[in-house]
Amino acid sequence: MAARTLLAHQWLQVDTSPVDFSITEPSDTRCSTLRESKQLPIIFTIFSLAVLFRPNFLPSEIALGFGALLGLSVAYTLLDGDLLDSKQPDLSGSLSPFPLKTFSRSQNAAGSTGRFITATRDVSAAAALASCIAALLIESSLFEALNNERSGRQCLIQLLQRVAIALFGSVQNTLLLAMVEDQGALPTTLLELSAMLGANLLNSFSFLSTYFSSISILAIYLFVSKTRSAKVLDYKIDVRKVLSIVSAISFVVFTFSLLRNPGNVTFFSRSPQEVQHRPNPFDPGSSTHLITQLIDSAETEFESIRASQSKSLEEAVREYQRRYNTSPPPHFDKWYEFAIKRDTQLIDEYDGIFDSILPFWAVEPSVLRARVREALGYSENSNRGHEEWHRNYLFGASIRNGTFGRVGRNGEDEWHREAIEGMTAGFVKFLPDMDIGFNLHDEPRVILPYGDLQRLIEVAKARLTLSGSRNVFSPPSIDMTPVPDIKYTRFNRVDHQNIWTDSRLSCPLDTPARSLSETPVDSQIAYTPSGIGFIQNETARSDVCLTPSLHNTHGFFDSPNAYSVVHELYPIFSPSKPSTHQDILFPSPWYWMSETTYDPSVSVDWANKEEQMYWRGATSGGFSQDGRWQRHHRQHIVQLLNSNKTAMVMEQSHKGDSAWTTKEVLRDEYSHLFDVRFSAVQQCDDNDCEAQREAFDIAPRAQQSDAWQYKHLLDMDGNALSGRFYAFLQSKSLVYKMAIFREWHMDWLKPWVHYVPLSLNGTEWVEAMRWFSSEEQGREQAKKIANDSSVWAEQTLNNEALEVFFFRLLLEYGRVIDDNRDQLGYSLP
């Protein structure tokens, strides 16, 4: 939770700042007066800067930071040389880790100096305690969450975690204050400052922070206790020297790892592909609505991205080298010319391609080619009967001498062949010979254990260099012959079974999805800035590793309709995947074939559209038997939006100039804003199909054009991606998107600029609809996003844009399967 590290420091100051010290003669001149040495202004300046010099501070952190400043200042004041030199009577006795008696007036200090210090001590301690309470109250989302049965448990766990961190920090800092007594104020002030800044940098109760804090505690204890040696197995060991060596080695190893792989340090809580970022400091208590804050921030970031795009081939090459630490693939100049002719809007935003291809650099090219042929060969082997279980369900494409061909016979996947051939027609002549395996299932196919994936990424990054300069692919290798008939497969078919354990394999061990608990808690702080649940970080929200609740709230993880998976790195091209899978993302043939289109001739103007959120669809998303539909995402959302359960909305006591606060309401009060119903029941056994017909008010089948009559359109996952998304974006209606499956366009579409991201738990849905339909500013924003997304979709989600992406992807793929890939790369003339 925000400010939890500073909270630890603050609670410490409340407990240990007003420490009692016996008055003794100073042993040397180290404790010269703060006033004479002018250290006190330095201390205040340093800590003020430490508190304020934070680009992303929260109100609670400000309160805690100033409380820490007050608490520390009284500790240093008590140790001021003036007090020691004045030889005043003891304020309260010896140093004690339990300073509650320091508030007693029974042992008053003699003289004005003693009274001043006593007063300063008590006032500062009280102010520090008040700031701690204020910080908790400022973070109102904690207490709002207690009103929600589901998030209440998470809230209590977070509070307990804060207490644990506070107690852990109090031990460390109590010893630090003991060092103050022995060493003097300024050196220990700098030590405390370093510890605080380090804690802010880590900002998590991770292995790394615990490890270095433990070393710090042990080091301070040895210093305070004057311990130098210890006996271990009859050997006398200089423990200070050993600890110093361990600390130095640890620091060097950590620093080396950070510098070598700054984007892949796994000491923190990370997903396989991305870092778990802390949300930006949106202010839930502002007079500006949270949605407005999110829109303003997203628009600023998106305009910055657009303005920073390369304007020439040379700039594009330099930017590629800067981002990926390697040269672009051969024929990058041909790709750039291809992209410019098609008016590509974002010439540099292809990080998704790099992330998909990167692990394959750790596998030998001949192995990659062999794995594709193995998978395709088993798919096309028809000598073992006609059962579906004897196929890998892959479509094979074969590029030879700059022409497109298919692997095997014509059949039910003919439309895939037509789409892939059409997508590559404009650039196939620039591609090297290659075999490509395309996934025919909706669901993804490849997932690796976390340890294997990390090793592959580390090896791959080490192989990337800027030395490649051959702007031509190698001649075809001798293994580029017709795909043989293969008698075995490494793909495992597990349809209609719970695959959660399998789907979280690639998650780091310290993420919630890998928790040993039966009821792990989602890491919502990674993607939402408030208790009501508006999405600020869509990448983190769709990160499976951060959301263990998916195992019983999403149909794909509970019971996929089809799932044939391999646990080794096979180059399989899929149109969508969850964050944990390693399929190579490419534009869906469904989009290129325009299977779902927007027809403006049957649409209506914004003013004439219905003020409702509209969705019609089937009970797909997973196969239901034995009542499992109750754990599937589509059923969960439809049931929730049509229930009379409570929901959270926001309101202002004085319109325009007061803070937005949340209140609980019945969903029935806003039911008129939602028209979300099933229109078909499928993917279930007879009993579950009948149960769903009884549970839901099934609407008549609708035409796609019916959707264009509504201002607010909901789009959500089915078995995988939703094929209606592009048509919705073009429709000049406001699109709301709930998706766990990621697609190729993630780098090109910006949440809160082109669509409204939604969570699966639905806590923010009612307020989002209320804001965009009822508030004047919200209605203006809804119309603007609807228009902007329509224009942007026409520019960036057309077939030409899909071809530009696919061209660059296949150049990267062609290089990574080339035996001489280390030598390949486009270099400027």
Side-chain angles (χ1 to χ4, degrees):
M1 203 67 183
R4 64 183 183 182
T5 306
L6 284 175
L7 179 61
H9 286 271
Q10 182 53 45
W11 283 14
L12 158 73
Q13 310 309 335
V14 174
D15 287 344
T16 60
S17 294
V19 177
D20 303 320
F21 293 93
S22 299
I23 307 302
T24 58
E25 292 287 347
S27 58
D28 50 41
T29 59
R30 288 180 301 174
C31 295
S32 59
T33 68
L34 294 176
R35 188 178 299 113
E36 291 177 358
S37 63
K38 300 181 180 180
Q39 292 182 21
L40 190 58
I42 295 175
I43 294 172
F44 272 90
T45 300
I46 289 175
F47 274 90
S48 296
L49 291 175
V51 170
L52 295 177
F53 191 67
R54 290 175 55 80
N56 293 324
F57 59 78
L58 294 169
S60 55
E61 291 180 314
I62 297 176
L64 290 170
F66 278 112
L69 177 62
L70 289 169
L72 284 171
S73 67
V74 70
Y76 299 134
T77 302
L78 285 170
L79 292 169
D80 188 275
D82 285 344
L83 176 60
L84 295 174
D85 290 337
S86 65
K87 301 181 181 180
Q88 299 293 344
D90 186 3
L91 285 175
S92 57
S94 60
L95 174 66
S96 169
F98 303 100
L100 296 178
K101 62 183 179 181
T102 63
F103 290 93
S104 172
R105 294 295 181 184
S106 61
Q107 300 182 20
N108 291 326
S112 59
T113 301
R115 286 192 295 272
F116 169 76
I117 293 173
T118 301
T120 303
R121 175 197 66 195
D122 293 347
V123 171
S124 298
L129 178 61
S131 70
C132 180
I133 296 173
L136 288 173
L137 294 177
I138 288 171
E139 292 199 24
S140 57
S141 59
L142 276 176
F143 300 97
E144 292 168 3
L146 286 173
N147 294 324
N148 185 292
E149 179 181 356
R150 181 175 178 181
S151 57
R153 183 176 69 241
Q154 176 183 358
C155 170
L156 292 175
I157 292 175
Q158 289 172 338
L159 284 173
L160 291 175
Q161 185 184 37
R162 289 184 177 198
V163 173
I165 296 173
L167 293 176
F168 189 80
S170 67
V171 174
Q172 179 179 6
N173 290 307
T174 299
L175 294 173
L176 277 172
L177 290 176
M179 285 185 67
V180 174
E181 180 185 24
D182 186 272
Q183 183 72 9
L186 185 59
T188 315
T189 300
L190 297 176
L191 180 62
E192 173 71 8
L193 175 63
S194 299
M196 186 174 73
L197 294 179
N200 287 336
L201 175 65
L202 296 174
N203 201 30
S204 66
F205 199 59
S206 63
F207 164 77
L208 191 63
S209 62
T210 307
Y211 177 74
F212 280 110
S213 295
S214 300
I215 290 179
S216 174
I217 289 175
L218 183 57
I220 298 170
Y221 172 77
L222 295 176
F223 180 88
V224 173
S225 64
K226 313 297 184 187
T227 302
R228 295 202 61 90
S229 61
K231 216 171 186 182
V232 179
L233 298 177
D234 296 328
Y235 290 97
K236 191 174 183 181
I237 298 175
D238 189 329
V239 289
R240 291 192 178 191
K241 186 176 295 185
V242 171
L243 189 62
S244 298
I245 294 173
V246 170
S247 301
I249 293 175
S250 301
F251 182 78
V252 169
V253 170
F254 167 66
T255 304
F256 176 77
S257 300
L258 183 63
L259 292 176
R260 183 184 177 196
N261 294 307
N264 190 40
V265 180
T266 57
F267 296 103
F268 309 98
S269 297
R270 294 175 181 265
S271 302
Q273 285 81 28
E274 69 265 350
V275 182
Q276 175 183 339
H277 289 290
R278 180 171 171 264
N280 288 332
F282 297 98
D283 184 6
S286 171
S287 59
T288 302
H289 196 278
L290 268 171
I291 289 181
T292 299
Q293 297 180 52
L294 289 162
I295 291 174
D296 290 346
S297 175
E299 287 180 342
T300 300
E301 183 177 345
F302 182 65
E303 289 306 317
S304 175
I305 292 173
R306 293 192 68 180
S308 66
Q309 297 303 296
S310 298
K311 304 300 189 296
S312 66
L313 173 61
E314 181 178 0
E315 288 184 13
V317 171
R318 301 297 183 203
E319 178 63 14
Y320 186 104
Q321 293 172 335
R322 184 193 69 81
R323 290 193 184 202
Y324 311 130
N325 193 38
T326 190
S327 299
H331 300 319
F332 187 78
D333 54 339
K334 304 298 183 184
W335 171 83
Y336 182 84
E337 181 182 357
F338 187 87
I340 293 300
K341 285 183 177 179
R342 284 154 180 78
D343 195 26
T344 300
Q345 299 295 306
L346 300 176
I347 205 74
D348 297 321
E349 305 308 314
Y350 295 88
D351 292 348
I353 292 180
F354 178 80
D355 292 338
S356 287
I357 295 294
L358 178 62
F360 294 95
W361 277 87
V363 183
E364 292 302 317
S366 59
V367 174
L368 295 177
R369 296 194 301 267
R371 287 180 177 177
V372 176
R373 294 161 63 79
E374 172 195 311
L376 293 177
Y378 186 81
S379 286
E380 295 305 329
N381 182 5
S382 59
N383 296 328
R384 292 180 301 280
H386 300 288
E387 295 183 16
E388 291 185 356
W389 289 82
H390 295 310
R391 297 188 62 209
N392 278 338
Y393 273 82
L394 298 171
F395 163 72
S398 175
I399 308 296
R400 296 291 187 272
N401 299 318
T403 59
F404 177 90
R406 64 162 297 141
V407 176
R409 62 188 183 278
N410 294 332
E412 62 187 33
D413 54 2
E414 187 63 20
W415 74 276
H416 279 85
R417 181 205 61 77
E418 181 181 348
I420 300 299
E421 184 173 11
M423 291 170 69
T424 59
F427 57 82
V428 66
K429 61 184 176 182
F430 299 114
L431 299 178
D433 286 7
M434 62 175 71
D435 295 318
I436 314 170
F438 294 97
N439 178 19
L440 291 178
H441 282 165
D442 294 333
E443 298 82 354
R445 311 295 297 276
V446 185
I447 188 167
L448 271 66
Y450 172 71
D452 293 349
L453 179 60
Q454 289 305 305
R455 288 200 303 271
L456 288 169
I457 291 176
E458 290 171 6
V459 172
K461 286 188 174 182
R463 286 185 173 177
L464 295 179
T465 68
L466 295 169
S467 60
S469 59
R470 280 180 48 188
N471 189 32
V472 60
F473 290 104
S474 301
S477 62
I478 60 174
D479 58 14
M480 300 300 287
T481 57
V483 173
D485 182 23
I486 303 297
K487 305 294 184 182
Y488 61 89
T489 181
R490 282 182 268 188
F491 286 83
N492 296 297
R493 193 76 178 265
V494 284
D495 301 349
H496 306 172
Q497 301 179 46
N498 188 291
I499 61 166
W500 173 249
T501 300
D502 192 76
S503 297
R504 64 177 185 164
L505 277 178
S506 64
C507 292
L509 298 180
D510 58 353
T511 54
R514 297 300 296 272
S515 171
L516 298 178
S517 169
E518 279 292 312
T519 56
V521 178
D522 294 350
S523 182
Q524 294 183 11
I525 190 176
Y527 54 81
T528 178
S530 72
I532 202 168
F534 293 118
I535 306 301
Q536 183 264 326
N537 188 328
E538 176 71 351
T539 303
R541 188 206 59 80
S542 62
D543 188 341
V544 174
C545 299
L546 304 180
T547 316
S549 65
L550 289 171
H551 83 280
N552 59 9
T553 58
H554 198 286
F556 170 72
F557 302 105
D558 180 73
S559 179
N561 191 53
Y563 193 58
S564 178
V565 66
V566 65
H567 294 146
E568 297 177 72
L569 193 61
Y570 273 63
I572 303 300
F573 286 66
S574 293
S576 67
K577 65 177 182 179
S579 65
T580 49
H581 287 66
Q582 283 72 57
D583 304 56
I584 299 173
L585 286 178
F586 81 107
S588 172
W590 182 274
Y591 292 139
W592 196 89
M593 294 290 286
S594 299
E595 293 294 326
T596 302
T597 59
Y598 167 64
D599 184 359
S601 66
V602 295
S603 183
V604 296
D605 294 335
W606 175 266
N608 297 321
K609 294 190 177 192
E610 296 290 336
E611 195 76 77
Q612 283 185 307
M613 176 185 284
Y614 176 85
W615 182 85
R616 290 292 185 272
T619 58
S620 58
F623 186 86
S624 180
Q625 54 191 354
D626 301 323
R628 299 175 81 163
W629 59 269
Q630 299 175 72
R631 300 192 293 272
H632 293 182
H633 54 287
R634 285 191 167 187
Q635 288 84 340
H636 165 73
I637 290 171
V638 173
Q639 196 168 50
L640 180 65
L641 292 181
N642 290 283
S643 73
N644 197 30
K645 294 182 179 180
T646 58
M648 301 298 293
V649 297
M650 302 182 74
E651 63 179 3
Q652 279 183 311
S653 56
H654 298 89
K655 195 171 184 64
D657 59 358
S658 62
W660 286 91
T661 58
T662 58
K663 72 172 183 178
E664 191 174 86
V665 297
L666 292 176
R667 291 182 180 273
D668 188 56
E669 298 178 34
Y670 297 92
S671 61
H672 63 283
L673 296 177
F674 298 92
D675 186 2
V676 177
R677 299 166 65 189
F678 285 119
S679 56
V681 176
Q682 61 187 49
Q683 292 184 193
C684 43
D685 65 15
D686 292 342
N687 290 334
D688 276 28
C689 285
E690 183 59 31
Q692 292 181 80
R693 292 189 187 96
E694 294 178 1
F696 299 104
D697 179 18
I698 307 299
R701 285 190 176 273
Q703 299 297 319
Q704 186 62 60
S705 58
D706 293 348
W708 317 145
Q709 315 305 310
Y710 294 83
K711 289 183 179 179
H712 309 268
L713 298 180
L714 172 61
D715 189 59
M716 57 178 160
D717 290 338
N719 291 333
L721 65 82
S722 167
R724 295 180 283 190
F725 187 37
Y726 291 4
F728 279 10
L729 290 173
Q730 295 168 354
S731 68
K732 297 183 181 180
S733 295
L734 179 60
V735 180
Y736 299 75
K737 180 74 168 175
M738 195 298 295
I740 295 299
F741 284 85
R742 298 176 174 182
E743 300 180 59
W744 71 276
H745 54 238
M746 282 192 64
D747 293 328
W748 290 14
L749 295 178
K750 185 69 176 175
W752 297 109
V753 176
H754 304 122
Y755 64 92
V756 176
L758 295 177
S759 68
L760 178 56
N761 58 34
T763 56
E764 82 284 20
W765 289 42
V766 170
E767 173 57 17
M769 267 301 297
R770 189 204 66 80
W771 170 259
F772 285 123
S773 63
S774 304
E775 298 284 346
E776 180 179 356
Q777 185 180 18
R779 290 194 296 268
E780 293 174 355
Q781 291 169 341
K783 183 177 180 180
K784 182 178 185 301
I785 295 175
N787 288 330
D788 290 350
S789 64
S790 178
V791 173
W792 186 249
E794 289 290 342
Q795 294 175 334
T796 62
L797 301 179
N798 53 48
N799 280 1
E800 289 186 335
L802 271 64
E803 293 164 13
V804 169
F805 183 95
F806 202 27
F807 187 2
R808 179 155 167 170
L809 173 61
L810 291 182
L811 288 179
E812 295 283 9
Y813 176 67
R815 176 168 60 171
V816 82
I817 63 172
D818 193 303
D819 289 324
N820 300 306
R821 62 189 180 186
D822 293 335
Q823 304 170 27
L824 303 184
Y826 177 80
S827 59
L828 292 167

